[in-house]
Amino acid sequence: MAVDPVCGMEVDETRGLRAERDGQTWFFCSKNCRQKFLGQPASIPSIPSMPSMPSMPSTPPAQAGTFTCPMHPEVEQDHPGSCPKCGMDLEPKTPGAGEDAETAGAGDLARRFWTGLILSMPVMILAMRDMMGYRVFERARFEANYWIQFGLSAAVVFWAGRPILQRAWRSVVLRSANMFTLIGMGVMAAWLFSAASLALAPRWTHQTIEPIPVYFDSAAMITVLALLGQLLEAKARRRTGEAIQALLHQAANSARVVRHGREMELPLTLVRKGDTLRVRPGEKIPVDGVVLEGASSVDEAMITGEAMPAAKAAGDWVTGATLNQTGAFLMRAERVGRETLLAQIIAMVAAAQRSRAPVQRLADAVSAWFVPAVMGAAALTLALWLWLGTNPSLAAAPEQAAARALANAVAVLIIACPCALGLATPMSIMVGVGRGAREGVLVKNAESLQTLEKVDTIVLDKTGTLTEGRPRVVRILPRPGQDETELLRLAAAVEARSEHPLGAAIARAARERGLDLAPVEHFSSRTGGGVSGRVGAQDVVVGNAAFLEERGARGAAGAEEGARECQALGQTVMFVARDGNIAGALAVADPVKATTPDAIRRLQAMGLKIVMLTGDNEQTARIVAQQLGIDDVRAQAGPRRKIEEVRRLRDASRIVAMAGDGINDAPALAAAQVGIAMGTGTDVAMASAGITLVKGDLQGVVRAIELSRSVMRNIRQNLFFAFVYNAAGIPIAAGALYPLWGISLNPMLAAAAMSLSSVCVIANALRLHKVTLLCGLGKPPI
């Protein structure tokens, strides 16, 4: 096996294309790679063949991989499609697979929805004119009204609604009733009965024009509403995939590999375990490995969630996709491809997303008995009225009995059509999501809003969630006889040249006070120690106690004693020396957000168990938890431990919501029943979560929970009304009142009753516009 020098794929030397250059034979996977190599030889690095090296798993093609159903994991196939059991779209197990098919499917749904909506409008207008008594007394025009409805509704039902009907038919063939069975049955019952009425029923006499009982408008609008639901689901699925894409973009594109004494820049697909890599300041670390030479500070916020960079020297471990800041170093690649921590995070996010139970589970569970029950009721109605029609005392003629039996059976199917049932949840969700957006609570999917109501445990990240997420100078400790402002000015002048976040915090504090920073000469920096320079006529050194002692600064013992109080509070202390004497210290910390304490009290008053889960050290985490009254603290947790802790809580039968803002929180956000991302955090966290708080404020969590409770209460009211309405309407449509009072519900009235139920559901959902969020302690939302 050889390596294609253009794309990095492994090629069978006996079958691959080849080319000669500089006396060496190169092998290629395709004609395109070979032409690129021959056309631009100078831009293609010379890569020594290494057949003995282990191959790295390559990224799968866009449509490759295994696709499975989140509700039925046992369903698997090697191409996109729908689940044969529930009808839902299958999701790829391999991150990034199926993107092209998913995009094309969403586009096709959008075209069908908008086309169906446009064609349905004339049908609705014509049907309303007929119901409101507007008569066109010319027979040709009167009949044309119905044929226009017939043609337009046929296009909506059989072209725009084709995906719905296909899934409904598939559910019938496989004997697996689901929501698509219910929708397909209602649509076809309304349309076929209307078409039969138009074709067979007498349309006029020699004296008057008789109306024809048609329900083309019902068939068309049910189809359009079903397509709208599918379109919203497809968009939600695409937004879920953004988490994977954002994580993939975190990786470096290439690496500087040192082989045989030569340094060359290669794509990551060509990096092998054991390679020596050079990493320069400002570059992303390509893969996981160990530092061989040099020292630097590395921003590991994407892994740890902490703003403080970590000092790295020979023998230290570095993680791929983290950002090298100050120094250059050589490293040995230890984990490449799917073995890297970033690749494992991607896999964890993908697996956690697939494990979520979709919100359609309830609807499908209801459909499993509702669909057969309605069909059985319609069949029983038809048989019963046909049997009663044989009794001369109940029917004047057999033809009338057959007509009544057919009308009653169709009325049962139409009044049981899941229009109100289908609108009950999405209408409340749509109004509730809009209400939440006005309060800065962005809901990605209905499932998250539904589950949030039942949450009894909320897991909170510390940095960026409970705290502001960036260090600030919280205290200045000048030695006796030293001026506080002058101490800050000198320290900030030197730290302004530093790239360290602590130095940036000191410089920012000086700017906020309006201090002018003097120029610095002879600036020097040591990773993990501190900085020094000459400010005017004074030599200034800023750093930890060991660094200042090494520089010969006097008075370190007294300064450390005064800084212990700050260190006990979890604050980082930076000492400042001027002309060889320690002049004081600056305490830097990540302060708690001003709104956090009140939000914690509200969450506790709502009966929630609060867990702090952070990558920070134990001492700092417990200090912050003590300030906020949080008892359960789990510190020094990386991405893997965070997801394990969330799963441990779920295994203990807890309903868990996770709030965080960093890349390291993404797997835990996806693993929790509900993920809540701070809008001030990373795109990866927001893409992994079901709910995003625009303001990055913990009060938004309180708003989100109250919104969820209000929306779910409204949904239950709608579902109760829809079920009761159908339960009461079916026996009336079947003719239960006819033997006693001579009352029967013809299909036209059944369609009107079905429409009325939808109006009631919509009106109830609109009440959510007035819901009050962020109520007083312990007070439920209105």
Side-chain angles (χ1 to χ4, degrees):
M1 300 295 291
V3 177
D4 187 323
V6 177
C7 67
M9 289 184 60
E10 288 200 344
V11 183
D12 188 343
E13 294 182 4
T14 62
R15 299 181 181 180
L17 300 173
R18 64 182 65 194
E20 298 287 338
R21 194 178 75 181
D22 298 332
Q24 186 173 357
T25 302
W26 300 92
F27 296 88
F28 306 91
C29 66
S30 66
K31 292 181 180 179
N32 289 336
C33 287
R34 184 175 183 274
Q35 290 174 355
K36 185 176 180 180
F37 179 85
L38 295 175
Q40 298 176 330
S43 64
I44 306 298
S46 296
I47 307 171
S49 299
M50 292 181 297
S52 61
M53 284 288 185
S55 63
M56 187 192 76
S58 60
T59 303
Q63 305 303 328
T66 303
F67 294 80
T68 185
C69 175
M71 287 177 57
H72 303 95
E74 69 277 7
V75 175
E76 291 187 354
Q77 63 185 41
D78 60 357
H79 58 276
S82 59
C83 176
K85 293 186 177 181
C86 65
M88 286 183 59
D89 287 328
L90 301 180
E91 298 181 2
K93 278 190 170 183
T94 304
E99 287 182 40
D100 294 343
E102 195 170 282
T103 302
D108 181 66
L109 274 175
R111 286 190 297 273
R112 291 178 185 274
F113 166 73
W114 288 111
T115 303
L117 181 62
I118 293 171
L119 295 178
S120 296
M121 291 299 100
V123 178
M124 294 296 297
I125 293 172
L126 292 173
M128 290 172 63
R129 284 177 59 86
D130 188 53
M131 286 189 296
M132 290 173 14
Y134 290 96
R135 295 286 184 258
V136 181
F137 293 103
E138 295 181 20
R139 295 183 179 183
R141 293 185 182 180
F142 183 65
E143 187 177 6
N145 175 3
Y146 293 110
W147 285 108
I148 292 173
Q149 292 186 52
F150 169 83
L152 294 177
S153 64
V156 174
V157 171
F158 295 104
W159 182 80
R162 183 180 177 184
I164 305 295
L165 297 181
Q166 285 178 332
R167 297 186 187 195
W169 176 249
R170 191 181 186 189
S171 69
V172 173
V173 172
L174 298 177
R175 300 180 182 179
S176 179
N178 54 49
M179 199 66 181
F180 293 100
T181 316
L182 204 62
I183 295 172
M185 182 184 65
V187 169
M188 293 308 299
W191 195 89
L192 290 176
F193 179 82
S194 301
S197 298
L198 180 60
L200 303 177
R203 295 185 288 279
W204 58 79
T205 67
H206 66 283
Q207 296 178 341
T208 61
I209 299 175
E210 300 293 338
I212 305 173
V214 295
Y215 319 104
F216 293 122
D217 57 325
S218 298
M221 288 310 297
I222 292 171
T223 301
V224 170
L225 289 171
L227 287 171
L228 175 60
Q230 290 300 296
L231 183 61
L232 294 176
E233 180 186 336
K235 289 185 176 180
R237 222 172 25 250
R238 291 181 65 184
R239 287 196 298 270
T240 301
E242 290 175 3
I244 303 298
Q245 294 302 315
L247 283 169
L248 291 172
H249 292 158
Q250 291 293 322
N253 295 322
S254 60
R256 300 180 184 277
V257 182
V258 180
R259 292 178 183 167
H260 307 291
R262 298 174 55 193
E263 181 177 324
M264 61 190 78
E265 187 168 352
L266 302 179
L268 281 186
T269 53
L270 298 183
V271 177
R272 301 291 185 260
K273 182 177 180 180
D275 278 346
T276 299
L277 312 178
R278 185 180 299 278
V279 184
R280 298 176 179 177
E283 293 181 343
K284 287 184 178 180
I285 296 174
V287 296
D288 299 357
V290 177
V291 177
L292 298 176
E293 297 179 11
S296 182
S297 61
V298 177
D299 181 359
E300 296 183 328
M302 65 159 289
I303 301 299
T304 65
E306 304 306 315
M308 308 298 182
K312 300 294 182 180
D316 290 336
W317 183 267
V318 289
T319 304
T322 56
L323 183 62
N324 182 35
Q325 289 191 327
T326 56
F329 59 86
L330 291 175
M331 62 172 289
R332 181 176 63 250
E334 294 290 347
R335 294 178 182 171
V336 298
R338 296 176 183 174
E339 298 177 351
T340 64
L341 181 59
L342 178 63
Q344 293 177 30
I345 291 177
I346 293 173
M348 285 189 288
V349 171
Q353 288 176 341
R354 289 196 309 270
S355 68
R356 291 179 176 179
V359 71
Q360 288 90 346
R361 184 180 295 275
L362 174 62
D364 284 337
V366 172
S367 301
W369 64 266
F370 185 67
V371 174
V374 171
M375 295 179 68
L380 182 62
T381 299
L382 180 65
L384 181 62
W385 281 102
L386 287 175
W387 176 74
L388 290 175
T390 59
N391 188 339
S393 63
L394 295 177
E399 294 80 4
Q400 294 180 357
R404 179 178 295 134
L406 181 61
N408 288 343
V410 172
V412 169
L413 290 175
I414 290 177
I415 204 169
C417 185
C419 193
L421 182 62
L423 284 174
T425 298
M427 278 304 302
S428 298
I429 293 296
M430 289 171 64
V431 178
V433 167
R435 180 70 183 90
R438 284 166 27 208
E439 297 287 340
V441 179
L442 303 183
V443 181
K444 181 185 294 185
N445 52 59
E447 178 196 352
S448 298
L449 203 60
Q450 178 186 12
T451 308
L452 190 59
E453 179 205 24
K454 302 177 182 179
V455 164
D456 56 23
T457 303
I458 182 161
V459 179
L460 302 174
D461 177 45
K462 180 182 74 68
T463 305
T465 303
L466 300 175
T467 65
E468 293 183 359
R470 67 174 186 174
R472 297 181 58 185
V473 175
V474 294
R475 192 171 178 185
I476 302 176
L477 306 169
R479 296 292 301 276
Q482 301 291 332
D483 180 68
E484 177 180 303
T485 301
E486 180 64 12
L487 180 67
L488 177 60
R489 187 185 71 83
L490 292 173
V494 181
E495 290 288 5
R497 299 279 300 273
S498 171
E499 298 178 357
H500 199 285
L502 296 182
I506 295 173
R508 185 168 54 250
R511 287 193 296 269
E512 290 173 354
R513 294 193 179 196
L515 301 180
D516 294 328
L517 304 184
V520 178
E521 299 177 348
H522 309 299
F523 174 82
S524 66
S525 172
R526 176 188 293 180
T527 301
V531 295
S532 63
R534 188 167 183 82
V535 182
Q538 302 179 81
D539 290 324
V540 179
V541 182
V542 184
N544 56 39
F547 181 69
L548 266 67
E549 287 181 0
E550 182 181 326
R551 292 299 183 98
R554 297 176 294 275
E560 278 188 311
E561 184 176 351
R564 286 174 185 168
E565 180 181 349
C566 296
Q567 292 172 333
L569 295 175
Q571 301 167 359
T572 301
V573 178
M574 306 281 287
F575 296 97
V576 182
R578 54 192 296 186
D579 293 332
N581 295 308
I582 292 183
L586 304 173
V588 181
D590 184 10
V592 173
K593 294 179 180 178
T595 56
T596 297
D598 181 60
I600 293 295
R601 288 194 297 270
R602 288 175 182 270
L603 292 172
Q604 291 172 336
M606 296 169 77
L608 298 178
K609 172 183 173 63
I610 300 178
V611 178
M612 179 193 289
L613 185 59
T614 177
D616 207 348
N617 64 75
E618 185 84 19
Q619 179 184 2
T620 302
R622 292 204 171 274
I623 290 170
V624 173
Q626 185 177 4
Q627 295 174 3
L628 297 175
I630 300 175
D631 298 328
D632 195 339
V633 180
R634 308 180 189 190
Q636 296 177 321
R640 183 172 294 279
R641 188 188 164 196
K642 284 189 175 185
I643 196 172
E644 289 173 353
E645 292 290 346
V646 169
R647 286 173 175 168
R648 190 174 292 113
L649 289 168
R650 292 186 61 171
D651 291 342
S653 299
R654 311 291 298 191
I655 309 298
V656 182
M658 167 77 184
D661 71 329
I663 293 176
N664 63 311
D665 299 320
L669 288 171
Q673 279 97 334
V674 182
I676 304 175
M678 300 295 160
T680 52
T682 64
D683 292 340
V684 176
M686 287 185 278
S688 300
I691 294 175
T692 298
L693 308 180
V694 174
K695 299 178 181 178
D697 188 339
L698 203 61
Q699 295 280 21
V701 176
V702 182
R703 292 187 181 95
I705 294 175
E706 290 179 343
L707 176 67
S708 171
R709 294 179 177 180
S710 298
V711 170
M712 293 311 301
R713 186 184 304 113
N714 191 270
I715 288 176
R716 280 191 287 269
Q717 293 167 354
N718 285 345
L719 289 174
F720 175 79
F721 175 80
F723 280 123
V724 169
Y725 200 94
N726 278 340
I730 289 175
I732 294 176
L737 302 181
Y738 185 81
L740 299 176
W741 296 289
I743 300 175
S744 63
L745 192 65
N746 64 41
M748 184 177 292
L749 291 177
M754 180 187 64
S755 300
L756 178 63
S757 67
S758 301
V759 172
C760 295
V761 166
I762 293 172
N764 185 55
L766 292 176
R767 294 193 310 112
L768 287 170
H769 280 303
K770 299 181 180 180
V771 67
T772 301
L773 305 181
L774 202 58
C775 306
L777 285 176
K779 181 180 177 182
I782 295 175

